[in-house]
């Protein structure tokens, strides 16, 4: 059955769709069509969805039906819409698109794009040496079938040892190796969340986590994070757990994605206590735990305070090492790991043995690799902050003490419009609404500092020019009524 987006829903997603460069030089229908294309490009509007009828959308946006008709016609001509008389119009993308590293659709000819939509580093030089050593180790595993649903013992021991060194005693039986952190989250949701179950998440949060929850048809509620260094409002967060009693809460306490906040020790302990009292399981995403900057001291792992198997921790190699090495893991009680392994067999059987062996060698070199990564990220972060202060001084930035991203508060609700305009000058952005629900967070933008400093400075220069053009294009003297989500 084809899904459909209603007029009011699409209006919320479109937000201030007039805030486009050169609006006075472009008719309204062109601005509307460009806004719909932008929603398709950043994944907020799925493919194969039936759009509202022209009259319904016109009423929701309080514009003329003629404008919507012309916008739909332009979308059909550009290959973004397919229509059949009497049946409606469905979203699609032109044939000259591919799936980008973000998982979103992008034109085939974007190879020279400065991609700030991806928050991940290039591979460290030690990876080649680790791969060669792994190939030498591989013959020891070739006499078997190669299926290890919980992971090879060497890697599980290495991951368990890393938790123990952080002050959380862990045995290999408490570790299951997965094909990346996202795979770990998906398996946990399959095991712990029934369709329609309630889940509490931070706002903003990781977009792919929202996608995984939506795939499970979860009822999502949010806890808003402050822009400043405080991050979580302790009483609001604890109250949301106690009163809402969600089945799961998905939290990122170490350098939260995208804000970079670090949850204090006291709040971690109180969250675990509240979750136990409410019957809520905590899924703790530790993707960035290896990347404190400026000598920041990490609080104890959240699972340290767990006495009732309420905390399931997930992590992986993507952020400190390389995204192309699809190795993640789950830390839970031994019985939970066995149940996860049983559920996993119906999905992908096991992670590749060779990749796991590479991970073993990288973890053995973790002190030197991670130290170099931290120094690299700190320098790139500072270069990005300096460039923003010089070229876009009205943007507000809270300097993160770790992780790989800045969460920037813009000088207006123009995040989506800025992202669409930036594509024209060779910069790909992840606009704020991707990190929330229903088109909110238009005043925010995530900027990773994982690219070389020169690329970051160049990208900021292009963004400054685009932002200036948005203002120079001007706004009409009349204003359409704002849609309040």
């Amino acid at each position: 059955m084809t899904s459909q987006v209603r007029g009011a829903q699409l209006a919320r997603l479109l937000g201030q769709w007039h805030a486009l460069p050169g609006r006075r030089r472009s008719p309204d229908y062109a601005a509307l069509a460009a806004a719909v294309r932008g929603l398709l490009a950043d994944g907020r509007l799925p493919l194969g969805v039936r759009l509202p009828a022209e009259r319904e959308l016109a009423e929701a946006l309080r514009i003329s039906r003629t404008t919507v008709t012309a916008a739909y016609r332009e979308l059909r001509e550009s290959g973004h819409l397919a229509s059949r008389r009497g049946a409606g119009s469905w979203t699609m993308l032109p044939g000259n698109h591919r799936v980008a590293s973000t998982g979103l659709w992008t034109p085939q000819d974007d190879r020279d794009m400065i991609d700030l939509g991806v928050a991940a580093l290039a591979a460290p030089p030690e990876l080649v040496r680790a791969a060669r050593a792994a190939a030498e180790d591989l013959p020891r595993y070739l006499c078997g079938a190669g299926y290890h649903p919980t992971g090879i013992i060497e890697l599980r021991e290495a991951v368990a040892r890393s938790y123990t060194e952080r002050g959380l005693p862990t045995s290999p039986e408490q570790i299951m190796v997965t094909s990346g952190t996202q795979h770990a989250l998906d398996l946990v949701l399959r095991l712990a969340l029934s369709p329609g179950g309630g889940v509490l998440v931070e706002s903003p949060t990781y977009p792919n986590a929202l996608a995984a929850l939506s795939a499970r048809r979860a009822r999502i509620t949010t806890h808003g994070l402050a822009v400043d260094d405080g991050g979580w409002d302790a009483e609001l967060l604890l109250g949301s757990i106690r009163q809402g009693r969600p089945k799961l809460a998905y939290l990122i306490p170490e350098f939260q994605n995208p804000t970079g906040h670090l949850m204090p020790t006291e709040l971690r302990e109180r969250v675990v206590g509240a979750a136990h009292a409410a019957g809520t399981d905590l899924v703790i995403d530790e993707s960035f735990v290896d990347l404190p900057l400026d000598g920041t001291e990490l609080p104890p792992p959240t699972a340290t305070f767990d006495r009732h198997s309420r905390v399931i921790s997930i992590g992986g190699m993507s952020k400190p090492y390389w995204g192309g090495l699809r190795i993640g893991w789950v830390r839970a009680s031994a019985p939970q790991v066995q149940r996860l392994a049983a559920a996993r067999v119906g999905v992908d059987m096991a992670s590749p043995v060779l990749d796991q062996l590479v991970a073993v060698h990288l973890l053995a070199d973790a002190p030197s690799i991670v130290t170099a990564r931290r120094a690299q990220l700190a320098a790139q972060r500072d270069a990005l902050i300096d460039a923003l202060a010089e070229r876009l001084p009205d943007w507000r930035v809270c300097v993160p003490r770790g992780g790989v991203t800045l969460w920037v508060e813009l000088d207006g609700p123009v995040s989506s419009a800025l992202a669409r305009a930036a594509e024209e000058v060779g910069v790909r952005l992840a606009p704020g609404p991707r990190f929330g629900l229903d088109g909110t967070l238009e005043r925010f933008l995530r900027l990773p500092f994982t690219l070389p400093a020169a690329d970051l400075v160049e990208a900021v220069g292009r963004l400054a020019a685009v932002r200036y053009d948005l203002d120079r294009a001007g706004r009409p003297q009349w204003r359409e009524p704002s849609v309040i989500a």
Side-chain angles (χ1 to χ4, degrees):
M1 181 177 179
T2 302
S3 59
Q4 180 176 5
V5 60
R6 307 302 306 181
Q9 293 174 298
L10 184 54
R12 284 197 300 270
L13 289 173
L14 288 167
Q16 298 190 19
W17 58 275
H18 285 296
L20 295 169
R23 182 183 180 276
R24 289 186 175 180
R25 298 187 298 273
S26 300
D28 284 351
Y29 77 85
L32 179 56
V36 172
R37 285 194 293 268
L39 293 176
L40 284 168
D42 66 27
R44 281 179 281 158
L45 186 62
L47 299 180
V49 171
R50 190 166 70 181
L51 294 187
E54 295 170 1
R55 185 185 302 278
E56 180 185 353
L57 182 58
E59 291 176 354
L61 295 175
R62 300 190 181 184
I63 58 177
S64 71
R65 181 178 177 180
T66 302
T67 299
V68 177
T69 300
Y72 278 16
R73 181 174 64 248
E74 180 166 310
L75 289 169
R76 284 192 293 270
E77 292 173 352
S78 64
H80 291 82
L81 202 64
S83 301
R84 190 168 70 246
R85 184 179 296 276
S89 300
W90 293 266
T91 56
M92 58 182 292
L93 282 178
N96 61 342
H97 281 58
R98 63 181 177 86
V99 178
S101 53
T102 57
L104 304 177
W105 293 90
T106 187
Q108 294 277 13
D109 58 353
D110 72 338
R111 305 294 181 177
D112 296 327
M113 184 80 65
I114 299 177
D115 194 346
L116 297 181
V118 179
L121 292 159
E126 293 87 350
L127 181 62
V128 173
R129 183 171 66 246
R132 288 171 178 159
E136 294 177 359
D137 292 341
L138 185 60
R140 291 190 286 109
Y141 286 88
L142 297 181
C143 59
Y147 299 128
H148 303 270
T150 58
I152 64 174
I153 186 60
E154 293 168 82
L155 182 53
R156 291 161 59 208
E157 288 175 342
V159 175
R161 188 161 50 248
S162 70
Y163 277 103
T164 301
E165 291 170 353
R166 290 171 55 201
L168 179 62
T170 302
S171 68
E173 289 73 29
Q174 292 177 269
I175 301 297
M176 185 177 79
V177 178
T178 63
S179 298
T181 310
Q182 185 70 17
H183 181 223
L185 175 60
D186 181 74
L187 286 173
V188 170
L189 295 181
R190 286 173 183 268
L191 179 69
L193 185 66
S194 301
V199 179
L200 176 68
V201 302
E202 298 144 332
S203 179
T205 192
Y206 180 45
N208 288 341
L210 292 176
L213 291 170
S214 296
R216 296 295 300 169
R217 291 180 288 165
R219 292 183 294 104
I220 304 173
T221 57
T222 60
H223 166 71
L225 295 181
V227 178
D228 60 24
D229 197 43
W232 297 265
D233 184 310
E235 297 308 319
L236 283 178
L237 175 57
L238 298 172
S240 297
I241 294 174
R242 291 168 181 153
Q243 297 168 22
R245 306 178 71 87
K247 174 59 180 170
L248 290 178
Y250 169 79
L251 303 175
I252 313 174
E254 283 89 17
F255 313 117
Q256 198 265 353
N257 184 8
T259 65
H261 292 317
L262 180 63
M263 184 180 287
T265 300
E266 180 187 4
L267 182 54
R268 294 172 187 234
E269 185 173 9
R270 295 179 68 191
V271 164
V272 173
H276 172 60
T280 299
D281 291 326
L282 297 177
V283 180
I284 302 299
D285 189 335
E286 299 182 317
S287 295
F288 302 94
V289 72
D290 292 314
L291 298 175
L293 306 179
D294 307 325
T296 297
E297 185 175 346
L298 288 176
T302 304
T304 301
F305 307 103
D306 183 26
R307 301 291 181 270
H308 306 280
S309 298
R310 285 291 180 190
V311 177
I312 299 176
S313 304
I314 60 176
M317 308 286 287
S318 296
K319 301 306 179 184
Y321 298 93
W322 187 45
L325 186 65
R326 302 309 303 149
I327 294 295
W329 49 77
V330 178
R331 184 206 178 272
S333 68
Q336 286 173 318
V337 166
Q338 291 304 313
R339 290 197 295 271
L340 284 167
R344 187 222 184 117
V345 169
V347 179
D348 74 338
M349 300 295 287
S351 298
V353 172
L354 184 58
D355 284 16
Q356 294 184 68
L357 290 170
V358 173
V360 169
H361 287 280
L362 287 175
L363 290 175
D365 289 339
S368 61
I369 296 174
V370 172
T371 298
R373 293 303 226 187
R374 293 171 182 169
Q376 174 189 356
L377 286 168
Q380 291 170 183
R381 178 202 60 188
D382 294 345
L384 177 57
I385 290 173
D386 290 345
L388 289 170
E390 178 183 355
R391 301 299 303 274
L392 292 159
D394 292 333
W395 290 10
R396 181 184 173 195
V397 179
C398 180
V399 180
R401 291 179 288 164
V404 299
T405 63
L406 300 182
W407 184 240
V408 182
E409 184 176 4
L410 308 180
D411 53 347
V414 296
S415 185
S416 294
L418 186 67
R420 293 193 294 271
E423 287 270 349
E424 300 298 320
V425 295
V427 179
R428 174 165 296 118
L429 299 174
R434 280 201 64 204
F435 301 86
L437 299 172
D438 295 331
T440 58
L441 303 174
E442 276 287 2
R443 289 189 67 92
F444 297 92
L445 184 68
R446 189 189 75 172
L447 294 178
F449 41 89
T450 49
L451 294 179
D455 289 346
L456 296 173
V457 172
E458 173 65 21
V460 170
R462 298 183 193 181
L463 291 180
V466 167
R467 183 67 189 97
Y468 171 72
D469 286 343
L470 287 177
D471 287 336
R472 186 176 58 177
R475 305 275 179 86
Q477 294 303 310
W478 53 271
R479 289 183 179 270
E480 301 256 2
S482 299
V483 177
I484 306 299

